[in-house]
Amino acid sequence: MTEAYDAGPVAALRRIAFLLERAREDTYKVKAYRAAAAAVLQLGDDELDRRVAAGTLTELPGIGASTATVVTEAARGQLPRRLGDLERRLGGPQTSGGHALRAALRGDLHSHSDWSDGGSPIEEMAMTAMELGHDYLVLTDHSPRLKVARGLSASRLARQLEVVDAVNDHLGGAASAAPDGFRLLKGIEVDILDDGGLDQSDELLEQLDLRVASVHSKLRMDSRPMTRRMVAAVRNPFVNVLGHCTGRLVSGGRGTRPPSTFDAEEVFAACAENDVAVEINARPERRDPPTALLELARDLGCLFSIDSDAHAPGQLDLQVHGCERAEAAGIEPDRIVNTWSRDRLISWARPR
């Protein structure tokens, strides 16, 4: 028996894309559904009905045979078979724990758009964050040295800051500045250079709401210079979050990668001293920091940030993996900075 469905074709296409992204499918497999959703949004109701009746949806750019089937079924009030299958396979809980802490999170401090190596526009990332119940999302596209990820030059970052303002105006206008309104926050994932400096000018870093600093190069550097490099970055007054500190990969399509070696006690002590949060990167292929280092950071009094490191909208829903690890480590919610209100977070993140 066909299940009823009343959310419409665009919602069906976006939900399919979301579920595939949450399962970390390759971006190219997902783009067809988001492209089809964008195409359907351009149609009036009458034209959509005419094309569904005539079977001419595939004449439109961005709609192929499989996405046309989804649109047709949804437009007829039927649960699309593709969506029903994905809901059964991928729509349930991702973890057995971490759900109470996930409910306490107010936002996500590490996300990427198609301005760097993400797969979706800024607006789609923001809209999905709102749908997940976030009060804020920090947009943290890469800095210029990471050319493989299309890192943002100073001029591109300056343009992006204007786009963030425009997105906030579009999503909520004046309401986005209210305490209970969603706001997209200005950020960066800035590369930690070999000497511990940051891969962006102080002038631009000053204009951001929050900054994640991460090592992306020379991950096999000897322990002593890597320690000096990371400590220098943590002491920089602009740094708020130390991203995926070991750089390891434990699974996934990119293969595995061993963790960087450094004096974790020295690095985390510097984090605690300088009020820098240690990121619990929620991507299942990272699980960074490893459990022993997570517990060491806890014992040294560090703050934490549980982040999705999302490169697609559905990946914003990965945070529960990090929440499960934080709960297992016994980390109190108030030590996790993205359980804080937006105003408290922004105040904390101001340059020291």
Side-chain angles (χ1 to χ4, degrees):
M1 181 177 176
T2 302
E3 293 182 54
Y5 183 79
D6 62 4
V10 173
L13 292 163
R14 291 184 71 239
R15 178 64 178 172
I16 290 170
F18 177 91
L19 291 170
L20 290 171
E21 289 162 350
R22 192 175 79 161
R24 292 169 295 137
E25 296 285 348
D26 290 335
T27 299
Y28 77 88
K29 295 181 179 180
V30 183
K31 282 186 174 179
Y33 293 97
R34 294 207 176 274
V40 172
L41 272 174
Q42 303 303 311
L43 303 179
D45 291 342
D46 290 344
E47 183 179 358
L48 176 62
D49 291 342
R50 284 196 302 271
R51 288 190 175 276
V52 167
T56 60
L57 285 166
T58 55
E59 295 177 358
L60 297 171
I63 300 183
S66 60
T67 53
T69 298
V70 172
V71 172
T72 298
E73 291 169 339
R76 291 174 175 168
Q78 303 167 356
L79 176 69
R81 284 167 289 181
R82 175 66 165 148
L83 177 56
D85 175 63
L86 289 175
E87 290 286 10
R88 286 187 290 273
R89 293 193 294 111
L90 304 175
Q94 301 176 75
T95 63
S96 58
H99 301 288
L101 181 53
R102 171 61 189 87
L105 294 186
R106 307 286 293 275
D108 192 335
L109 310 189
H110 187 169
S111 68
H112 299 275
S113 75
D114 61 2
W115 280 58
S116 64
D117 61 344
S120 286
I122 293 170
E123 308 94 284
E124 187 68 30
M125 297 296 290
M127 287 175 59
T128 301
M130 292 174 68
E131 291 164 357
L132 289 171
H134 287 331
D135 295 338
Y136 49 82
L137 173 69
V138 186
L139 180 63
T140 56
D141 279 317
H142 289 285
S143 63
R145 191 169 80 157
L146 203 61
K147 290 182 168 46
V148 69
R150 296 179 61 241
L152 273 62
S153 65
S155 60
R156 290 182 68 217
L157 177 57
R159 289 201 305 275
Q160 187 183 81
L161 301 187
E162 297 175 355
V163 171
V164 170
D165 287 336
V167 168
N168 280 325
D169 288 343
H170 175 72
L171 291 176
S176 68
D180 57 350
F182 174 85
R183 188 161 48 165
L184 184 65
L185 299 181
K186 299 170 181 176
I188 191 172
E189 184 181 15
V190 62
D191 261 31
I192 298 174
L193 303 176
D194 297 357
D195 63 357
L198 302 182
D199 184 36
Q200 193 48 271
S201 70
D202 287 357
E203 179 184 7
L204 274 170
L205 293 173
E206 177 78 44
Q207 297 179 45
L208 304 178
D209 295 306
L210 185 140
R211 310 137 202 95
V212 177
S214 305
V215 172
H216 287 108
S217 62
K218 296 186 180 178
L219 295 172
R220 307 312 303 149
M221 182 181 282
D222 287 345
S223 176
R224 192 64 232 149
M226 180 64 88
T227 301
R228 288 195 296 268
R229 177 185 186 183
M230 296 173 74
V231 168
V234 164
R235 287 176 175 163
N236 188 300
F238 288 106
V239 171
N240 306 119
V241 178
L242 177 63
H244 48 67
C245 63
T246 76
R248 73 172 186 171
L249 294 172
V250 297
S251 65
R254 290 190 289 168
T256 60
R257 182 168 63 210
S260 297
T261 57
F262 53 89
D263 185 330
E265 184 167 353
E266 185 174 344
V267 170
F268 294 153
C271 287
E273 180 182 350
N274 290 276
D275 216 21
V276 169
V278 175
E279 179 181 72
I280 302 175
N281 191 288
R283 297 188 70 91
E285 69 268 30
R286 284 193 181 275
R287 291 180 59 84
D288 202 0
T291 299
L293 295 193
L294 178 60
E295 293 173 347
L296 175 63
R298 174 202 64 195
D299 293 345
L300 288 171
C302 291
L303 295 171
F304 296 92
S305 174
I306 300 175
D307 297 326
S308 67
D309 193 359
H311 287 66
Q315 293 174 8
L316 290 167
D317 205 26
L318 294 176
Q319 277 181 304
V320 69
H321 293 277
C323 293
E324 183 178 49
R325 298 190 67 219
E327 279 189 357
I331 297 170
E332 299 90 347
D334 198 54
R335 289 176 62 181
I336 299 166
V337 298
N338 46 330
T339 66
W340 298 353
S341 70
R342 188 175 66 220
D343 287 347
R344 181 182 177 189
L345 179 81
I346 291 174
S347 178
W348 164 78
R350 291 192 181 104
R352 301 182 295 278

